[in-house]
Amino acid sequence: MLENSIDSVFTQEIHNKYLVFNTLFSRLPYDKMTKIGQLMPFLHDMSEADFEAGKEPKEIIDTFFKQYTSIKEEKEKIDLLFRFITYIERQVVLFDSVEDSAFEKLNPLNGKGTLQGTLDLALQQDKLAEVHEKLKNFKVRIVFTAHPTQFYPSSVLRIIQDLEQLIPKNDINGIDSLLQQLGKTPFINEQKPTPLEEAQSIIFYLRHVYYQVIGEIHDKLRSYFQNGSGGFNPVLELGFWPGGDRDGNPFVTAEISKKVSIELRTSILKCYYNDFKIICRRLTFKGVMPLLTAISNRIYTNMNGLKHDLTLHELLSSLDEVRQLLITKHKGIFLNLLDRFIQQVKLFGLHFASLDIRQDSSIHENVMEQINQKYGISDKPYDKWSDVDKLRFLTEHELTIKEEDFEETLTKDTFRTVRIIKEIQELNGEKACHRYIISNSTSTFSVLEVLALFRFCGYKAAEIKVDIVPLFETIEGLDNSQSTMTSLYQLPFYKNHLENRANHQTIMLGFSDGTKDGGYVKANWEIYQAKEKLTRISKKNQIEVIFFDGRGGPPARGGGKTHQFYASQGPTIANNEIQITIQGQTITSMYGSRSQAMYNFEQLLSAGIINDVFQDDKSIINKQERNLIEELAEEGVNKYFELKEHPLFVPYLENKSPLKYYGLTNIGSRPSKRSSGKKLTLSDLRAIPFVGSWSQLKQNVPGYFGFGTALQKVIDEGRLEDLKLLYENSLYFKTLIENSMMGLTKTYFPLTYYMKKDPEYGEFWQILFDEYKLTVKNMLLVTGQESLMANEKLSKLSIDYREHIVLPLLTIQQYALQKIEETTDEKLRLVYEKMVTRSLFGNINASRNSA
């Protein structure tokens, strides 16, 4: 789409409609709400001008009250500020709805990166057969995670969906009614959701969006590339973490995992039951109806939990019986309808999405010590054993664990979880729960401890139908990953396990903690190099390696231009599957509606196909380019380490950002930090509140810090042209720069200009600001762009509009933080703390990928 065309469509379909529908907010059913819409522009304009002039938020708010209101009392001021927050929250919902309803007009579903676009490319280059061949052994797995950064309750999400239906029709009366409903609908969860409730909120999208969309994508694949030939091969699969991810979430238990697996089974059976009604309405033929009635009854009784006796094999066998009867007795009438339903059953089984189990390696080490003590294995503590003793114990020792022998709840639940995997597989099929992910994997023992748990819990080798997936996420873990996997591949005990798993090894690589640990450039480059090394050693050991990327929404956590990221993975990295985590706001903003999900699923599929079949020279990094990226990574990490080791690094986040208020939002069930210790440490701090707090400050440090300094060193050495050529010729480096640009675009230092005068933190703030300015200057030099994201007009327009809407909200948040610092009245302090917490929601949702 041409730039002026993007501008005009954005203006017509988003800007103009938002302005018209925004006027309806003046009629929202709130007490004293009528003047909010009139006052808001004044607060916005004052914030914009005064922040640029270096004024403090407190001064801006105080001046606003003097100039535009007659309010004098503190209580009335507070009341109005809370109403502003409420108003802006709903403006964000409206903008979300308007923008999402225009998605197809701004992102054509037949453009670049779509399956239609890939088909056109294949026809132009006569590579249809190659694409067909690639699709025989290629998959994309989207894994929805339990990291909630989206606070909208389900009632609000349904209003958003309804608004998206009415906005394209310009149905003013209907939209007005929904906005009035929105005004009356609470945005705040009174209590933290349970893990089961988190799971149910994501299952909503599985049922109402992905069930149909994934079926339609497979229809396209068969039509475009497979020509209906050969057996059906599911190319797109779903994974699921809510209810399985117990890494640091004390509320996830084995029983929760079982309940979520039943919820997934029930939900897919509901989808089948509704679809099957249509088949029953059409196949009203002699001999067919009794078979259909029997199938429908089996689905119904299992869907309602009256029985749990339906297996995938039985369902497919029954459907095949109907199919044969249709062909032999009824000339195949409506066969396409039945085949389409059979395809859905093959896609989703009785599990809908595969439930992954995840736990931190330190928990398994602790469990091994508990076993050591309980069964008197050794006088030495487990962590003091030699590698030889550990290896012998984990691979050879015969032991049958009884849960009742142990007292610690977490230890007992670890055993129960291992045993419940078999129960889930028996109920829903092997795919229902077939991966055990180990966070913070550091050595071969991280993997062997989990395999030993299966043995100790009574599994025979052939019964362990589970992939053991190490997650390397720190810089140290990434560095050790090659030696860890080499040792495992060469260990007969583990080789035997891999043979039972078709010699496939999934390895997860985490951007979130990698960036927190090593900074933006280093983390990204370490992960790229780790993938290359792991590809080589896997190939050498005749293992098919599959990389699973733990990527959050923002660039600081590996998000950003996801499809471009995968297209930039050159031939040195295994491309058997694309596996990626999707979470929080990214679920709703990129996969929340039919058109969005269709577009973004297709982008990932096309990225994997293009990477192999239409390989671009720009995805290959030559030795000279590699040396330059390595140099940038080292300079970047040195600068980031300097910042990380600054004594004010954690105190600044703790005292000058809304960090401590993340845990009060009732967004998700899990705590903001891993340990319960009083003192906050960087290693304990989870990536979501870490990245999210920088985002709320509009400083976005994890998305750029160190990059500007690294570029400057190369520029100072007279090698600017080398950087320009790298940007021009390396798709990997281009993606790295452009994702960082997104983080920089969402940065707004004038919001915190006042902090440079702070006697304690002023100098630290200046360090951040200087690196920001340096990074922007150097990125524009290297890319030749006049402004950040100049080549991504649509994304830039969206970001700018959202930042415009929430600027008054940011002013209020900073004002409240200042008032907390100076207020001695405890009751008043609690009110301002509540104000900070409430202000998080609108900012989180407006950013769409803030954490």
Side-chain angles (χ1 to χ4, degrees):
M1 193 181 290
L2 296 173
E3 189 170 306
N4 58 352
S5 173
I6 290 173
D7 272 329
S8 63
V9 175
F10 190 92
T11 300
Q12 290 167 20
E13 298 296 330
I14 297 177
H15 173 73
N16 291 345
K17 287 187 177 183
Y18 174 75
L19 288 183
V20 170
F21 301 140
N22 193 37
T23 60
L24 299 174
F25 274 105
S26 62
R27 299 172 57 194
L28 283 181
Y30 284 108
D31 296 332
K32 308 173 192 171
M33 203 66 175
T34 51
K35 291 184 181 177
I36 295 288
Q38 297 164 26
L39 286 171
M40 189 66 71
F42 294 116
L43 180 56
H44 176 276
D45 292 348
M46 182 176 278
S47 297
E48 196 169 56
D50 288 359
F51 277 136
E52 292 291 343
K55 291 187 180 177
E56 297 191 12
K58 196 154 65 72
E59 186 182 354
I60 294 169
I61 295 290
D62 288 344
T63 306
F64 168 80
F65 276 114
K66 283 177 189 170
Q67 286 189 10
Y68 296 104
T69 76
S70 56
I71 295 172
K72 307 288 184 197
E73 296 295 319
E74 186 85 1
K75 186 178 180 303
E76 286 186 73
K77 288 181 182 180
I78 288 168
D79 181 49
L80 182 61
L81 291 175
F82 270 110
R83 281 188 279 131
F84 273 144
I85 292 170
T86 302
Y87 188 84
I88 295 166
E89 284 171 350
R90 282 149 179 83
Q91 283 187 305
V92 171
V93 169
L94 176 61
F95 187 79
D96 279 349
S97 305
V98 172
E99 187 176 42
D100 291 347
S101 69
F103 185 86
E104 286 189 44
K105 292 185 178 176
L106 288 158
N107 302 274
L109 296 183
N110 60 353
K112 185 180 178 183
T114 62
L115 289 180
Q116 178 66 54
T118 306
L119 173 64
D120 294 343
L121 194 60
L123 291 170
Q124 286 167 19
Q125 298 189 21
D126 194 23
K127 289 192 171 182
L128 216 53
E130 285 96 324
V131 175
H132 184 188
E133 197 59 32
K134 174 67 182 172
L135 288 170
K136 286 181 182 177
N137 299 298
F138 179 69
K139 278 188 174 66
V140 169
R141 178 180 292 216
I142 304 291
V143 181
F144 299 100
T145 80
H147 304 319
T149 51
Q150 165 69 272
F151 92 97
Y152 291 143
S154 57
S155 54
V156 175
L157 288 172
R158 284 170 174 77
I159 295 171
I160 291 173
Q161 284 196 323
D162 293 341
L163 278 169
E164 286 172 21
Q165 298 296 315
L166 295 184
I167 286 167
K169 301 172 186 173
N170 295 319
D171 183 347
I172 294 289
N173 290 330
I175 292 164
D176 186 34
S177 297
L178 287 174
L179 291 179
Q180 289 191 52
Q181 181 190 352
L182 192 68
K184 289 276 190 184
T185 303
F187 272 42
I188 310 304
N189 293 315
E190 292 299 321
Q191 296 178 318
K192 284 180 179 288
T194 65
L196 183 59
E197 287 167 340
E198 287 178 350
Q200 288 166 334
S201 70
I202 297 178
I203 289 172
F204 172 85
Y205 290 102
L206 266 62
R207 280 191 64 191
H208 299 287
V209 181
Y210 310 141
Y211 176 73
Q212 289 299 339
V213 165
I214 289 174
E216 288 172 28
I217 287 173
H218 281 85
D219 292 342
K220 283 188 188 182
L221 286 167
R222 286 174 73 85
S223 168
Y224 292 175
F225 304 114
Q226 295 164 329
N227 201 23
S229 62
F232 176 67
N233 174 42
V235 177
L236 196 53
E237 296 181 337
L238 302 178
F240 207 76
W241 274 18
D245 177 14
R246 59 251 301 133
D247 174 22
N249 187 336
F251 309 112
V252 175
T253 63
E255 281 63 39
I256 290 289
S257 297
K258 184 72 179 286
K259 283 180 182 176
V260 170
S261 72
I262 292 170
E263 194 78 22
L264 285 162
R265 176 187 172 95
T266 302
S267 297
I268 192 58
L269 287 172
K270 284 178 180 176
C271 292
Y272 292 160
Y273 188 72
N274 289 332
D275 268 9
F276 205 66
K277 283 179 187 175
I278 299 164
I279 290 172
C280 292
R281 284 173 70 99
R282 292 290 166 265
L283 305 188
T284 51
F285 314 139
K286 187 177 179 182
V288 175
M289 281 300 292
L291 296 177
L292 295 183
T293 302
I295 294 169
S296 182
N297 288 341
R298 289 290 296 281
I299 293 173
Y300 180 83
T301 55
N302 277 263
M303 174 181 82
N304 288 301
L306 303 174
K307 290 184 179 179
H308 297 288
D309 61 350
L310 182 63
T311 67
L312 179 60
H313 175 73
E314 287 173 340
L315 180 56
L316 287 171
S317 295
S318 300
L319 291 168
D320 189 57
E321 190 180 349
V322 174
R323 191 177 191 277
Q324 294 308 319
L325 197 59
L326 266 187
I327 293 168
T328 56
K329 302 287 187 184
H330 302 286
K331 297 182 180 179
I333 189 168
F334 294 125
L335 184 63
N336 61 329
L337 197 65
L338 181 64
D339 280 347
R340 178 60 161 73
F341 181 76
I342 290 171
Q343 174 183 291
Q344 292 295 88
V345 174
K346 287 180 177 177
L347 273 172
F348 299 107
L350 297 183
H351 64 282
F352 215 159
S354 298
L355 183 68
D356 287 346
I357 303 298
R358 184 170 81 125
Q359 183 57 283
D360 192 89
S361 62
S362 62
I363 303 299
H364 303 135
E365 288 176 30
N366 180 56
V367 168
M368 288 302 157
E369 173 54 19
Q370 300 290 322
I371 292 170
N372 178 38
Q373 290 178 18
K374 183 58 66 177
Y375 298 119
I377 311 296
S378 170
D379 294 335
K380 285 185 190 174
Y382 176 75
D383 61 358
K384 297 290 190 292
W385 290 11
S386 69
D387 287 357
V388 173
D389 287 341
K390 277 187 181 178
L391 187 62
R392 188 181 299 117
F393 173 68
L394 296 173
T395 62
E396 297 176 15
H397 195 89
E398 294 298 327
L399 181 66
T400 302
I401 283 169
K402 295 178 182 176
E403 287 167 39
E404 59 270 23
D405 288 347
F406 296 84
E407 294 174 8
E408 194 176 287
T409 303
L410 185 55
T411 301
K412 292 172 80 162
D413 188 69
T414 302
F415 302 140
R416 179 80 184 115
T417 297
V418 170
R419 289 188 167 120
I420 218 156
I421 290 172
K422 189 182 283 188
E423 292 179 32
I424 293 170
Q425 289 186 340
E426 285 170 356
L427 180 67
N428 293 354
E430 184 182 317
K431 279 191 173 180
C433 188
H434 66 99
R435 307 204 303 186
Y436 197 119
I437 298 159
I438 309 151
S439 298
N440 197 26
S441 290
T442 54
S443 70
T444 55
F445 299 115
S446 300
V447 172
L448 295 177
E449 282 157 5
V450 173
L451 261 185
L453 283 174
F454 278 87
R455 287 199 312 112
F456 298 160
C457 287
Y459 285 74
K460 295 184 175 67
E463 293 175 336
I464 307 175
K465 296 175 181 177
V466 178
D467 300 318
I468 312 298
V469 182
L471 165 51
F472 302 111
E473 46 195 333
T474 63
I475 299 300
E476 182 187 2
L478 289 164
D479 283 343
N480 294 338
S481 61
Q482 184 181 7
S483 60
T484 296
M485 295 314 301
T486 300
S487 300
L488 283 168
Y489 288 156
Q490 293 172 0
L491 191 66
F493 174 79
Y494 194 70
K495 282 172 81 171
N496 181 53
H497 171 69
L498 285 180
E499 282 171 15
N500 291 334
R501 304 304 297 157
N503 281 323
H504 286 189
Q505 173 67 58
T506 302
I507 298 173
M508 189 173 181
L509 301 153
F511 284 80
S512 302
D513 283 291
T515 308
K516 181 165 74 90
D517 188 37
Y520 178 75
V521 189
K522 179 70 170 177
N524 277 275
W525 184 235
E526 281 290 320
I527 287 170
Y528 188 94
Q529 288 183 298
K531 281 185 176 180
E532 288 186 314
K533 292 170 186 171
L534 293 167
T535 297
R536 284 197 298 271
I537 63 143
S538 299
K539 192 173 182 180
K540 185 179 177 183
N541 287 276
Q542 297 178 303
I543 302 297
E544 186 169 301
V545 68
I546 295 156
F547 294 118
F548 176 23
D549 290 310
R551 292 163 62 83
R557 298 188 63 223
K561 297 163 74 69
T562 302
H563 62 280
Q564 189 168 307
F565 165 81
Y566 283 108
S568 74
Q569 308 279 284
T572 54
I573 291 174
N575 183 34
N576 307 308
E577 289 189 25
I578 287 176
Q579 296 194 2
I580 181 176
T581 55
I582 302 292
Q583 68 189 51
Q585 301 144 306
T586 317
I587 295 174
T588 50
S589 66
M590 291 183 69
Y591 298 88
S593 68
R594 182 191 167 281
S595 55
Q596 289 170 315
M598 180 78 75
Y599 180 83
N600 286 300
F601 283 144
E602 288 191 16
Q603 290 285 322
L604 284 174
L605 274 168
S606 296
I609 295 167
I610 288 166
N611 201 339
D612 266 9
V613 180
F614 309 98
Q615 206 170 82
D616 189 339
D617 287 345
K618 291 185 178 181
S619 71
I620 300 168
I621 305 176
N622 65 38
K623 189 176 180 182
Q624 188 179 351
E625 292 168 341
R626 188 175 291 273
N627 290 340
L628 184 48
I629 296 170
E630 178 68 37
E631 194 178 332
L632 292 169
E634 288 310 309
E635 286 300 320
V637 78
N638 289 341
K639 182 68 176 175
Y640 180 72
F641 278 171
E642 195 180 292
L643 181 75
K644 202 168 74 163
E645 287 159 13
H646 195 291
L648 292 180
F649 186 71
V650 173
Y652 179 82
L653 265 184
E654 198 169 12
N655 299 313
K656 303 303 282 186
S657 86
L659 174 69
K660 64 183 77 168
Y661 303 101
Y662 260 79
L664 305 175
T665 55
N666 289 343
I667 296 173
S669 64
R670 68 194 203 149
S672 298
K673 60 192 186 93
R674 283 185 168 89
S675 82
S676 57
K678 288 186 178 178
K679 187 178 178 186
L680 181 68
T681 64
L682 186 60
S683 58
D684 280 342
L685 186 59
R686 291 191 170 278
I688 285 175
F690 175 74
V691 173
S693 297
W694 289 116
S695 174
Q696 294 279 327
L697 280 172
K698 290 295 163 188
Q699 293 175 355
N700 288 326
V701 163
Y704 69 85
F705 199 89
F707 211 161
T709 293
L711 292 171
Q712 188 63 48
K713 180 179 181 292
V714 178
I715 292 167
D716 287 344
E717 291 170 357
R719 293 188 286 150
L720 176 59
E721 288 306 312
D722 291 348
L723 290 169
K724 287 182 175 180
L725 283 171
L726 183 63
Y727 175 74
E728 187 63 34
N729 296 324
S730 168
L731 188 54
Y732 171 79
F733 186 66
K734 185 183 176 75
T735 306
L736 203 63
I737 288 256
E738 291 183 354
N739 277 346
S740 186
M741 275 188 170
M742 183 188 289
L744 289 162
T745 302
K746 293 183 177 183
T747 299
Y748 183 66
F749 267 92
L751 179 71
T752 53
Y753 273 168
Y754 73 95
M755 289 187 188
K756 63 183 166 186
K757 302 173 194 167
D758 189 288
E760 186 176 0
Y761 295 103
E763 186 185 332
F764 185 81
W765 180 93
Q766 193 66 47
I767 293 170
L768 307 179
F769 185 45
D770 289 345
E771 184 66 17
Y772 161 76
K773 288 188 295 181
L774 186 65
T775 308
V776 171
K777 176 178 78 81
N778 288 338
M779 281 194 180
L780 296 180
L781 262 178
V782 169
T783 62
Q785 296 181 34
E786 290 183 7
S787 60
L788 294 172
M789 295 183 72
N791 295 346
E792 299 169 73
K793 188 73 175 174
L794 181 57
S795 296
K796 180 74 162 58
L797 286 166
S798 176
I799 290 169
D800 287 349
Y801 219 105
R802 289 170 177 281
E803 298 296 309
H804 173 88
I805 291 170
V806 297
L807 183 59
L809 189 59
L810 291 164
T811 308
I812 292 167
Q813 183 184 89
Q814 287 294 319
Y815 168 79
L817 286 167
Q818 282 192 295
K819 293 293 278 186
I820 289 165
E821 282 188 11
E822 69 176 36
T823 301
T824 52
D825 184 322
E826 191 57 36
K827 284 186 180 177
L828 204 52
R829 182 197 295 273
L830 289 173
V831 172
Y832 283 117
E833 286 184 346
K834 185 181 177 185
M835 191 179 289
V836 174
T837 305
R838 278 298 307 276
S839 68
L840 291 172
F841 301 138
N843 289 327
I844 285 170
N845 290 305
S847 292
R848 288 211 145 177
N849 65 353
S850 64

